Every structure is written in C-alpha cells, then in structure tokens.
C-alpha cells in the first residue's frame, strides 16, 4: 500500500439544471405512456381471447360435422351394402327363372346404385356447411 494522496478539484456540470416543470412533465409522460401501454395490452388480450373463443367454436363445429358425416356414411353405406346384396340375389333369381326383362331391370338397378353418390341428396353442400351448428340449425347427434 502506498500513502499517496491525490488532491483535485470538484468540477461543476456546465449544463444547466433541468427545470422542475420539465421533470414533472417527463414524469407525467411516463405515467401516461404506461397507462396507454396497459390499456392497449388489455385490448389486445381481449382480442386474442375472442379469437381463441371463435377458434374453439369452429373446431367444435368441425368435430360435430365430422361425427354427423361419419354416422351418415355408416348408415348410408350399410343400407347400400344391404341393397346391393338384395339386388344380386334378385339378379340370380331372374337368371334362374330365365326372365330377360327381369335381368335387365335388376342390372339397371345395380348400375343406378353404383352411379349414385351418397351425398347426391345434399343439393348445396356449401350451404349445408354454413348452416351447420348455427342457432337456426343446431347439430343433433
């Protein structure tokens, strides 16, 4: 350790002091900006919550539609399978009886069944989707 002593002068700042009114105005600006930040943050959180709620509604709509469509296909295809089995039984009977008109009629029925779509009964699928799960058209399972 050394016993050296340093002697110096304390220098004053050459800049002028900030007036009290300016300091108070700066403080008010910080408070106002913080309040505005809080207000905007709350608004944006509310918007995000509304978006999340809307998303939840649409996801529920999709799941309800999926269940309905699966049930529809299950029933329609079971019915179609039964109908096609019955038509082939009728075809065998018509061929066994040697009735060409009956064979033609049954084959025509089989072709018609094969060409039809299970969704053919839905005239406007877009309209069906738009109305699915609304207050006017609730989904019932």
């Amino acid at each position: 350790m050394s016993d050296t002593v340093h002697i110096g002068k304390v220098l004053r700042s050459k800049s002028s002091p900030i007036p009290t009114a300016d300091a108070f105005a700066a403080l008010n600006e910080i408070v106002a900006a913080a309040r505005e930040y809080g207000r905007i943050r709350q608004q944006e959180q509310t918007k995000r919550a509304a978006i999340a709620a809307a998303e939840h509604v649409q996801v529920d709509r999709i799941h309800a539609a999926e269940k309905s469509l699966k049930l529809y296909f299950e029933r329609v295809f079971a019915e179609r399978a039964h109908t096609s089995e019955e038509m082939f039984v009728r075809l065998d009977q018509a061929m066994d009886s040697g009735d060409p008109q009956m064979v033609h009629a049954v084959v025509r029925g089989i072709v018609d069944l094969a060409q039809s779509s299970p969704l053919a009964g839905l005239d406007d699928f877009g309209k069906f989707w738009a109305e699915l799960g609304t207050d006017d058209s609730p989904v019932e399972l």
Side-chain angles (χ1 to χ4, degrees):
M1 279 189 133
S2 120
D3 291 332
T4 309
V5 176
H6 295 282
I7 299 177
K9 263 183 162 181
V10 175
L11 301 176
R12 301 270 180 223
S13 170
K14 290 186 179 183
S15 64
S16 62
I18 297 175
T20 305
D22 288 348
F24 187 67
L27 177 61
N28 282 336
E29 186 63 28
I30 290 171
V31 170
R35 284 185 181 144
E36 180 68 6
Y37 165 78
R39 185 186 64 75
I40 291 171
R41 185 172 186 270
Q42 181 62 41
Q43 283 178 343
E44 294 305 313
Q45 284 178 333
T46 301
K47 287 178 187 176
R48 284 191 294 274
I51 290 168
E55 176 187 14
H56 184 72
V57 166
Q58 294 305 317
V59 167
D60 286 350
R61 245 181 104 202
I62 290 168
H63 287 154
E66 178 183 349
K67 287 178 186 175
S68 295
L69 196 56
K70 282 181 178 180
L71 184 59
Y72 174 79
F73 280 142
E74 183 180 300
R75 289 181 180 166
V76 167
F77 285 115
E79 179 183 319
R80 287 171 68 94
H82 177 71
T83 301
S84 66
E85 286 176 33
E86 290 295 318
M87 291 185 107
F88 283 106
V89 168
R90 300 292 183 271
L91 179 61
D92 289 340
Q93 291 172 344
M95 289 189 316
D96 289 344
S97 71
D99 184 350
Q101 289 176 334
M102 181 63 93
V103 169
H104 177 73
V106 173
V107 169
R108 183 76 227 147
I110 292 170
V111 169
D112 289 345
L113 180 65
Q115 289 178 336
S116 67
S117 166
L119 294 177
L122 295 176
D123 296 331
D124 184 355
F125 193 73
K127 183 179 177 193
F128 167 77
W129 176 252
E131 292 176 355
L132 180 71
T134 63
D135 291 339
D136 294 333
S137 179
V139 175
E140 295 180 24
L141 300 177

